[in-house]
Amino acid sequence: MKHRNPIHDRNPEQGFTMSEHRSGIDVSRILTALTLAEKAALVSGRGAWDTAQVERVGIPSIVMTDGPHGVRLRDPQIKQFSFDASLPATCFPTASALGSSWDTELLTRVGEALGSESRAAGVSILLGPGINIKRSPLCGRNFEYLSEDPVLSGRLGAALVQGIQSRGVGASVKHFAANNQETERMRVSAEVDERTLREIYLAGFEYVVTSADPWTVMAAYNRINGVFASENHWLLTEILRTEWGFEGLVVSDWNAVSDSVRAIEAGLDLQMPTTHGASAAKLVDAVHAGRLAEQTLDRAVVRVLELVNRALESELGTTTPTVDFDAHHALARTAAAESAVLLKNEEEILPLDPTSDTRVAVIGEFARTPRFQGAGSSQVNATRVDDVWGALIAATENPLRLTFSPGFTLTGQPDDTLLAEAVAAAAAAEVAVVFLGLPSAEESEGFDREHIDLPPTQVRVLEAVAAVNRNVVVVLANGGVVRVAPWERHCHAILEVWLAGQAGGGAIADLLFGRANPCGRLAETIPVRLQDNPSYLNFPGAVGSVVHGERLYVGYRYYDAKDMAVGYPFGHGLSYTTFEYSDLDAEVVGQGAEVVLRLRLTLTNTGSLVGKEVVQVYVGDVESSVDRPVRELKAFTKIELEPGQSVPVEFELGARDLSFFSISDGRWLLESGDFEIAVGGSSRDLRLTATVVVDAPAPTRTLSLSSTVGEWLGDPVGGPSLRRALEDAEGLSMATNPEILRMVESLPLDRVVTMSGGRLDMAELGEALDPPQ
Ligand code: BGC
């Protein structure tokens, strides 16, 4: 199958093409040649999916398209807008599946395939990956996001970006930032304190930006603490550019910009899609009226030109790849198998033997009509789709032992005939494999979910099947998480396959028949009940604002802090083999910013099948000046082992992995003391622990009269000065009595000064108030 290439096929009235260029464009020369109107036109889209061109000085237009798990390039033959009207492309598993693979190497390979399909289609920027944190299981777009944890999202997001960009196509990391819900997404303000932003919502973006150099970052729709992300100077300039050193282009989410002038001033470079000249006119007026400096506009223009140059360089420097769609389909099948999570497997009911005569009742419409992707801008027109039923028949040596009954309709209406057929099939079989999942209408871009339950009709089918057959396996297809607590007692095994992409059917057959060994791990906690989720009372907010009252305690950070029962914990996933962890050795070298924590352990495959384990490293600060999560994921690796094989596994953590973001210091801070390192197969399956001592210089803080007595006393210079001043002040020496100090330690010093009625000698505090330079 071949894609039409929208750039190379452009007709003459659309202007000249990228391929007419023999070399890149000379950015500084062109900048001086552009008129103000041309500059203003360049910083917003020409159409829905392309940048403006300026033929007079030889600037071509480049094409962007969604993303993230397949190339959704509009079919030029179809004029009417429709999410279905795109050219065929490989539909890989969606992010909630890929996130569960915990496999950076796999995500790079998927990225390479996405990059190749984009290049072949003439697409210069693929709009993805989406790495927003799954704050609530209700977010309608969770299927497009990787994890509830920023380290996992960041590492996997970076791997995807590297893969896409290795093919000369830019990625667009989205949606920057704190876009964690669909409700009111274009105007809601995420009210989040800075520490939470830094440690949870920005950290994944920071990792991708600083390690993978994405060509573009997409500014989100929502506001953050009152200011639109696309008009947020703090976010787009101070953090993204100045702190993280981002050198690519910031593009708005589609129609995110409410004020083009403010957006450019804040650091946005490209407003998408076209506004039919309206935003360009506003920018020109603002420059004429002196409300926008032309140099500020130039900065954005330069970034657009540099982006065009990057696209031209790959166009000129490498040949356009020919896409092998069969190979990509095979990769999509591997990716789906690597991403499935075996939640439980009692009595080792799985894998099923493909050679035996055991009668298997396959039940559930999803086995015939797979739900393999989500709705909205990420929807791909798959090159082909494998269904599980077909794949199971193809994989078994004895097709006659398999029966299929739909059990329920996808519309969710109870259907007694289908139910009765399913029960009869289950009663006549030794094993029933029941395919359950979310109807597509329940999760999509544009709106949030209302609950996390499976449709009651499906649960009724499961209950009825379990009443006649005790060997039940459930296979789940859903993008956002579904709770399993109400019905899991009715089955021996649960295989969560998420939205597994176009080759999911084959992958599921591979997993059920043991041709693939499950190795996915949960990238998000499955709660016992929706009400347990930390954002429950604050999602999706009201009156235009959503308060992140749970602060850092998102996902497992919350469940672990409260020591709560969960359905299945973050990081969990079984295998058909077993692993043993041994010999953890932890060594700390250096101190402060230079500290390096080296971990070594041995991993052994103690079972009888080849399989992959995801070794996870969690870190907790035993004593800290601020509240910190009990443990946080800081490193992981996925390793394949033959039966009986043992391998050494090593990790290296740095100061940042042990630090928190200190609001009072305005920076990441490492504190001396004990840290507990826990290594295992999930956040609640910690097999080995070690405590290490870390040495870091005490932070130098500037004390002031509004610092508290406690802060003064904790300071190496201020503490002794304040003690001296209190001891010397007439009638105040009793204030150094520990019990009294405890009572007054939260008082700002100026209150103590007032209370002392002039008896406290301010000169004695001078050195600490105004430290010598
Ligand atoms: C979505 C983006 C997408 C863009 C273009 C927006 O509605 O939020 O993720 O890339 O549309 O389709």
Side-chain angles (χ1 to χ4, degrees):
M1 185 172 326
K2 266 185 117 32
H3 272 303
R4 286 167 54 81
N5 183 324
I7 288 184
H8 299 289
D9 294 355
R10 196 168 281 153
N11 68 41
E13 75 256 22
Q14 280 180 296
F16 62 103
T17 68
M18 288 230 290
S19 48
E20 284 164 28
H21 275 262
R22 294 261 142 69
S23 63
I25 48 183
D26 178 342
V27 173
S28 38
R29 190 185 59 74
I30 283 195
L31 187 67
T32 54
L34 287 169
T35 65
L36 177 61
E38 286 165 341
K39 289 178 185 175
L42 273 170
V43 298
S44 53
R46 175 172 81 166
W49 303 109
D50 50 6
T51 59
Q53 63 174 34
V54 185
E55 192 164 359
R56 187 181 70 77
V57 290
I59 305 170
S61 152
I62 61 170
V63 173
M64 325 183 177
T65 202
D66 287 304
H69 49 265
V71 182
R72 188 177 68 94
L73 185 61
R74 193 177 70 81
D75 184 342
Q77 312 298 337
I78 303 177
K79 297 291 171 227
Q80 202 100 18
F81 173 81
S82 152
F83 282 123
D84 297 326
S86 57
L87 294 170
T90 308
C91 179
F92 288 95
T94 75
S96 55
L98 291 175
S100 306
S101 75
W102 292 61
D103 188 336
T104 50
E105 192 261 337
L106 172 75
L107 269 79
T108 302
R109 279 162 61 208
V110 170
E112 288 164 357
L114 291 169
S116 300
E117 292 195 24
S118 303
R119 267 301 298 285
V123 170
S124 296
I125 309 287
L126 188 69
L127 303 174
I131 63 163
N132 294 97
I133 292 292
K134 300 186 200 221
R135 174 180 178 237
S136 164
L138 293 180
C139 173
R141 243 179 143 174
N142 272 358
F143 70 89
E144 279 190 70
Y145 300 144
L146 293 162
S147 175
E148 69 185 21
D149 180 88
V151 168
L152 186 54
S153 304
R155 300 293 189 280
L156 297 179
L160 266 167
V161 168
Q162 276 154 353
I164 294 168
Q165 296 194 166
S166 71
R167 296 299 185 260
V169 170
S172 194
V173 193
K174 65 189 187 183
H175 309 89
F176 189 54
N179 182 175
N180 310 104
Q181 65 187 58
E182 292 302 281
T183 308
E184 299 250 31
R185 64 175 170 158
M186 287 212 176
R187 60 180 193 183
V188 73
S189 176
E191 302 292 321
V192 203
D193 67 275
E194 184 174 356
R195 183 173 163 212
T196 301
L197 279 171
R198 298 280 196 157
E199 293 187 21
I200 305 292
Y201 295 102
L202 299 184
F205 286 99
E206 179 179 6
Y207 185 82
V208 176
V209 165
T210 54
S211 70
D213 184 26
W215 290 17
T216 77
V217 166
M218 185 189 290
Y221 283 131
N222 51 288
R223 301 172 202 250
I224 300 170
N225 296 323
V227 183
F228 280 116
S230 61
E231 298 170 11
N232 197 314
H233 191 267
W234 175 78
L235 185 72
L236 301 186
T237 298
E238 291 165 45
I239 292 199
L240 182 61
R241 301 266 176 213
T242 313
E243 286 189 30
W244 300 350
F246 178 60
E247 291 184 344
L249 170 138
V250 180
V251 59
S252 73
D253 199 344
W254 267 231
N255 298 305
V257 172
S258 80
D259 184 325
S260 310
V261 177
R262 272 213 298 264
I264 294 286
E265 277 186 322
L268 188 96
D269 303 308
L270 177 62
Q271 177 176 351
M272 284 302 288
T274 182
T275 58
H276 308 283
S279 53
K282 282 185 194 146
L283 293 171
V284 169
D285 286 353
V287 172
H288 283 148
R291 283 184 288 111
L292 175 69
E294 191 164 344
Q295 295 94 305
T296 307
L297 177 60
D298 286 353
R299 187 213 59 219
V301 173
V302 165
R303 298 229 180 86
V304 172
L305 297 179
E306 285 170 350
L307 182 71
V308 171
N309 254 349
R310 271 181 138 167
L312 276 172
E313 267 164 35
S314 35
E315 180 83 2
L316 302 171
T318 51
T319 47
T320 305
T322 348
V323 176
D324 181 345
F325 283 102
D326 290 335
H328 288 187
H329 187 74
L331 175 60
R333 180 170 178 156
T334 304
E338 296 273 326
S339 304
V341 183
L342 182 62
L343 295 176
K344 73 175 204 175
N345 192 19
E346 287 164 6
E347 298 176 21
E348 296 190 354
I349 188 169
L350 289 178
L352 306 173
D353 181 355
T355 63
S356 84
D357 289 329
T358 312
R359 279 160 298 138
V360 178
V362 175
I363 294 166
E365 183 58 50
F366 290 117
R368 180 171 62 179
T369 315
R371 175 137 190 272
F372 62 98
Q373 65 172 328
S377 62
S378 69
Q379 197 176 311
V380 174
N381 178 8
T383 56
R384 59 196 214 229
V385 180
D386 290 347
D387 64 277
V388 192
W389 172 239
L392 286 170
I393 290 291
T396 181
E397 285 187 9
N398 182 1
L400 292 179
R401 70 188 177 119
L402 301 183
T403 58
F404 170 72
S405 27
F408 53 85
T409 65
L410 293 181
T411 53
Q413 279 130 16
D415 187 318
D416 290 343
T417 313
L418 293 184
L419 178 65
E421 276 170 21
V423 170
E430 281 129 292
V431 178
V433 185
V434 187
F435 288 81
L436 307 177
L438 288 179
S440 54
E442 276 193 25
E443 49 180 349
S444 159
E445 177 176 347
F447 58 88
D448 290 316
R449 299 165 69 199
E450 288 168 11
H451 59 82
I452 57 168
D453 289 310
L454 284 178
T457 321
Q458 293 186 28
V459 176
R460 266 201 296 281
V461 171
L462 174 64
E463 285 165 354
V465 164
V468 297
N469 188 324
R470 66 174 298 277
N471 297 319
V472 178
V473 172
V474 167
V475 179
L476 285 176
N478 44 282
V481 91
V482 295
R483 74 182 185 126
V484 298
W487 50 259
E488 69 163 316
R489 66 184 179 285
H490 298 300
C491 61
H492 277 7
I494 306 176
L495 183 66
E496 169 63 90
V497 302
W498 309 105
L499 300 181
Q502 67 178 47
I508 295 166
D510 293 341
L511 291 160
L512 292 176
F513 280 144
R515 294 183 171 172
N517 191 346
C519 56
R521 302 289 182 265
L522 289 178
E524 60 190 300
T525 311
I526 301 182
V528 176
R529 316 174 304 159
L530 174 63
Q531 294 88 323
D532 293 347
N533 180 264
S535 71
Y536 182 68
L537 292 176
N538 282 316
F539 185 96
V543 207
S545 111
V546 54
V547 177
H548 287 230
E550 72 283 3
R551 302 173 47 240
L552 322 159
Y553 299 95
V554 173
Y556 69 92
R557 286 169 169 79
Y558 174 82
Y559 300 116
D560 287 353
K562 295 196 72 177
D563 200 11
M564 277 170 76
V566 296
Y568 286 96
F570 177 79
H572 170 77
L574 302 176
S575 163
Y576 296 151
T577 189
T578 48
F579 297 95
E580 188 184 283
Y581 290 65
S582 57
D583 310 327
L584 176 63
D585 178 47
E587 179 198 16
V588 179
V589 188
Q591 53 163 262
E594 308 303 321
V595 85
V596 176
L597 170 57
R598 292 207 182 98
L599 301 174
R600 286 185 206 88
L601 62 119
T602 305
L603 181 73
T604 307
N605 181 345
T606 47
S608 54
L609 290 171
V610 61
K612 291 184 183 172
E613 172 70 326
V614 177
V615 181
Q616 303 163 37
V617 177
Y618 294 86
V619 174
D621 189 354
V622 176
E623 201 184 318
S624 166
S625 64
V626 296
D627 66 308
R628 296 189 69 173
V630 183
R631 68 185 65 88
E632 298 179 278
L633 180 77
K634 292 298 171 184
F636 61 90
T637 186
K638 193 168 191 176
I639 302 171
E640 183 170 62
L641 292 181
E642 296 291 330
Q645 192 187 356
S646 268
V647 288
V649 185
E650 296 189 359
F651 296 98
E652 215 171 81
L653 304 183
R656 170 64 188 267
D657 299 314
L658 308 175
S659 303
F660 66 94
F661 189 83
S662 163
I663 297 291
S664 44
D665 296 83
R667 65 181 174 89
W668 293 92
L669 190 67
L670 175 64
E671 290 183 332
S672 291
D674 289 356
F675 284 79
E676 191 174 273
I677 314 300
V679 183
S682 91
S683 60
R684 298 239 171 137
D685 177 20
L686 303 167
R687 312 277 188 92
L688 302 170
T689 56
T691 303
V692 295
V693 185
V694 169
D695 192 12
T700 44
R701 296 223 164 83
T702 316
L703 291 170
S704 71
L705 285 173
S706 48
S707 307
T708 63
V709 170
E711 286 162 356
W712 273 82
L713 292 176
D715 186 86
V717 179
S721 311
L722 179 58
R723 271 177 201 282
R724 255 194 321 276
L726 287 169
E727 275 157 11
D728 294 351
E730 198 191 323
L732 287 185
S733 59
M734 41 71 100
T736 53
N737 168 318
E739 275 170 32
I740 305 229
L741 274 184
R742 186 92 208 271
M743 282 165 60
V744 298
E745 76 183 5
S746 65
L747 293 190
L749 191 66
D750 60 358
R751 306 302 154 87
V752 179
V753 172
T754 311
M755 282 153 60
S756 83
R759 284 173 290 163
L760 204 63
D761 182 358
M762 296 305 291
E764 292 196 61
L765 304 178
E767 195 192 337
L769 268 174
D770 189 18
Q773 296 304 302

